């Protein structure tokens, strides 16, 4: 079955612009999580969605937002881009079930460069 | 914030040798997972160990968990060049309807020299 698909894979923006990243989870996976990865901070949790509801949010400013659609596809948006937003943005989906472990399947990531 | 701290940050060994990476965490957990990341790519799940388990094997991987010391180790035996990657531990804290997030360590960058 198809894996987690993230688009676009690479993009370059300038400061002040906004960006939207898309993630299609594995079919049947209803939970989608987003992470930001930078050399200095490592993997930082952004947010997690389940059945179109944001259930958990990391410590990021309000410029970072996301949503999930009824087909479980998810998007994240970063507005008013700053140089420090340059990072690899990773989306992961999981098949959560009660009492089960949250094993994540990651996409290849979207590499954002802010100039 | 990072829950897991990994040690060493970087490790370079010869092909065929064993590689050991360690992870320490701060709060109680339901389980601990290890992931691998090849350069600039997404992470791949390797193995999961539950809080009531002490050791687990999967192929050339061996994971141990010591909840009293809040630490885990990942051993890769008979390393190969293809094992060159970064390795991350991730903890899944108790509470709620399943876990809502995994918290990752900073990772260990493993280089296998031919």
């Amino acid at each position: 079955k198809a894996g987690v698909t993230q688009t676009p894979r690479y993009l370059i923006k300038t400061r002040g612009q906004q960006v939207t990243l898309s993630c299609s989870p594995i079919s049947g996976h209803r939970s989608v999580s987003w992470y930001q990865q930078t050399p200095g901070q490592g993997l930082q949790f952004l947010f997690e969605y389940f059945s179109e509801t944001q259930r958990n949010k990391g410590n990021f400013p309000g410029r970072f937002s996301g949503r999930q659609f009824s087909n479980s596809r998810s998007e994240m948006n970063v507005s008013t881009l700053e140089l420090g937003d340059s990072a690899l943005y990773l989306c992961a989906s999981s098949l959560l079930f009660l009492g089960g472990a949250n094993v994540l399947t990651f996409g290849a990531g979207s590499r954002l460069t802010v100039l | 914030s990072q829950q897991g701290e990994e040690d060493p940050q970087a490790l370079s060994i010869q092909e065929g040798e064993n590689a050991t990476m360690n992870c320490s965490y701060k709060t109680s957990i339901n389980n601990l997972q290890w992931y691998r990341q090849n350069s600039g790519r997404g992470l791949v799940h390797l193995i999961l160990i539950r809080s009531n388990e002490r050791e687990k094997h999967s192929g050339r991987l061996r994971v141990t968990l010591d909840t009293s010391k809040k630490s885990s180790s990942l051993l890769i035996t008979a390393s190969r060049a293809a094992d060159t990657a970064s390795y991350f531990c991730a903890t899944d804290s108790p509470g709620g309807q399943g876990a809502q997030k995994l918290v990752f360590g900073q990772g260990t960058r493993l280089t296998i020299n031919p």
Side-chain angles (χ1 to χ4, degrees):
Chain A
K1 58 185 175 183
V4 178
T5 304
Q6 290 189 247
T7 57
R9 287 292 318 282
Y10 303 91
L11 65 167
I12 300 173
K13 294 285 187 178
T14 56
R15 279 178 296 175
Q17 287 187 311
Q18 68 142 19
V19 66
T20 299
L21 309 178
S22 179
C23 173
S24 293
I26 289 175
S27 178
H29 285 195
R30 295 167 64 189
S31 171
V32 174
S33 300
W34 289 89
Y35 289 83
Q36 180 198 65
Q37 186 177 28
T38 59
Q41 297 297 317
L43 276 152
Q44 299 284 325
F45 174 79
L46 281 158
F47 22 67
E48 185 257 355
Y49 289 89
F50 183 84
S51 293
E52 302 178 67
T53 300
Q54 184 184 90
R55 299 193 303 180
N56 213 337
K57 191 177 191 303
N59 188 26
F60 278 82
R63 300 185 297 108
F64 291 80
S65 63
R67 59 179 175 168
Q68 186 181 36
F69 302 95
S70 59
N71 62 358
S72 294
R73 190 176 70 85
S74 178
E75 288 180 348
M76 67 163 284
N77 184 276
V78 187
S79 62
T80 319
L81 284 166
E82 301 176 359
L83 294 179
D85 297 333
S86 294
L88 180 66
Y89 290 87
L90 292 163
C91 167
S93 71
S94 65
L95 181 61
L96 283 178
F97 53 94
L98 190 63
N102 189 17
V103 175
L104 301 182
T105 301
F106 281 84
S110 292
R111 170 80 60 186
L112 171 65
T113 301
V114 182
L115 302 177
Chain B
S1 64
Q2 302 293 349
Q3 160 80 307
E5 297 290 335
E6 279 151 276
D7 168 57
Q9 290 188 333
L11 179 62
S12 181
I13 61 174
Q14 295 300 120
E15 196 166 17
E17 294 180 337
N18 296 341
T20 300
M21 290 158 272
N22 303 295
C23 167
S24 60
Y25 56 92
K26 298 172 184 172
T27 62
S28 60
I29 59 172
N30 277 331
N31 57 69
L32 185 144
Q33 302 177 46
W34 286 89
Y35 287 78
R36 183 187 73 218
Q37 184 181 36
N38 290 90
S39 182
R41 305 285 295 182
L43 282 73
V44 175
H45 178 257
L46 294 175
I47 194 167
L48 176 149
I49 186 165
R50 299 187 186 278
S51 59
N52 61 354
E53 298 175 309
R54 291 297 168 258
E55 187 170 312
K56 200 158 184 182
H57 297 255
S58 176
R60 295 184 295 113
L61 304 180
R62 172 179 165 244
V63 169
T64 61
L65 179 64
D66 187 335
T67 53
S68 67
K69 295 180 180 178
K70 291 187 170 57
S71 67
S72 174
S73 68
L74 171 68
L75 168 67
I76 304 174
T77 61
S79 63
R80 305 167 181 169
D83 295 328
T84 294
S86 292
Y87 292 81
F88 297 86
C89 66
T91 50
D92 179 346
S93 298
Q97 187 176 12
Q100 294 172 350
K101 70 176 183 181
L102 290 185
V103 180
F104 287 83
Q106 290 280 9
T108 293
R109 184 160 52 205
L110 175 64
T111 302
I112 309 298
N113 301 303

